């Protein structure tokens, strides 16, 4: 290793010290919402969902985030929403806490559940949702 290091040119770092990734903040926000779906649901639901952050607007007092939770079927949508919206509220509340800690700012989080049948088999949807 010492021999190799002698021949490598020294250069500027690719990222500044405060960067934790080359992925956008919206990616991490979506993953924090998706993490709550994994925490609260079992079986197929978490594996058939993705989260698409539609809006990320920094205002003077808070950050407004609007995200869609994408599922395969209407039955999955009903499960995510829960009776009287109980589960979507729980997902939003818990995700908001984690996102506020991550961003170190107050946020307003708005979640919607949308059905996109077979989105995981559709190339257009996969690209739109950030999968290659």
């Amino acid at each position: 290793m010492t021999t190799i290091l002698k021949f490598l040119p020294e250069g500027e770092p690719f990222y500044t010290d405060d960067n934790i990734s080359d992925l956008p903040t919206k990616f991490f926000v979506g993953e924090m919402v998706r993490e709550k779906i994994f925490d609260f649901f079992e079986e197929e639901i978490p594996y058939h969902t993705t989260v698409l952050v539609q809006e990320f607007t920094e205002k003077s007092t808070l950050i407004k985030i609007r995200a869609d939770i994408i599922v395969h079927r209407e039955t999955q949508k009903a499960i995510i929403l829960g009776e009287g919206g109980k589960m979507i509220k729980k997902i939003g509340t818990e995700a908001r806490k984690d996102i506020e800690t991550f961003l170190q700012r107050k946020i307003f989080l708005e979640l919607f559940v949308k059905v996109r049948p077979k989105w995981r088999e559709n190339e257009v949807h996969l690209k739109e949702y950030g999968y290659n």
Side-chain angles (χ1 to χ4, degrees), residues 2-130:
T2 307
T3 304
I4 293 172
L5 289 174
K6 280 193 320 192
F7 293 102
L8 289 176
E10 196 153 323
E12 294 296 315
F14 286 114
Y15 307 105
T16 60
D17 289 341
D18 60 343
N19 282 349
I20 60 170
S21 174
D22 60 342
L23 295 170
T25 303
K26 286 170 61 171
F27 168 81
F28 291 102
V29 167
E31 285 299 296
M32 287 180 203
V33 173
R34 195 161 170 258
E35 175 186 36
K36 297 310 168 195
I37 296 168
F38 272 87
D39 288 346
F40 302 138
F41 300 98
E42 296 178 8
E43 303 300 322
E44 70 183 59
I45 298 293
Y47 302 99
H48 286 225
T49 62
T50 192
V51 177
L52 185 60
V53 177
Q54 298 287 9
E55 179 182 354
F56 188 97
T57 307
E58 294 191 44
K59 302 196 180 242
S60 60
T61 56
L62 56 78
I63 298 172
K64 182 180 180 191
I65 300 170
R66 185 173 51 83
D68 295 337
I69 299 170
I70 310 296
V71 296
H72 272 254
R73 295 188 297 273
E74 288 291 334
T75 54
Q76 293 168 331
K77 178 179 179 177
I79 292 168
I80 296 283
L81 290 173
E83 188 177 333
K86 182 178 167 183
M87 288 309 296
I88 191 75
K89 182 177 180 181
K90 185 176 180 179
I91 293 166
T93 299
E94 294 303 313
R96 181 186 49 77
K97 291 175 188 175
D98 288 353
I99 296 166
E100 284 181 341
T101 299
F102 177 70
L103 298 176
Q104 298 180 341
R105 297 256 324 258
K106 286 283 185 196
I107 68 157
F108 174 76
L109 178 62
E110 204 172 14
L111 297 176
F112 298 91
V113 183
K114 296 190 176 180
V115 178
R116 297 284 185 271
K118 299 185 181 184
W119 68 265
R120 293 186 336 167
E121 290 97 42
N122 184 312
E123 288 295 322
V124 173
H125 283 135
L126 287 172
K127 285 182 183 175
E128 178 185 349
Y129 303 155

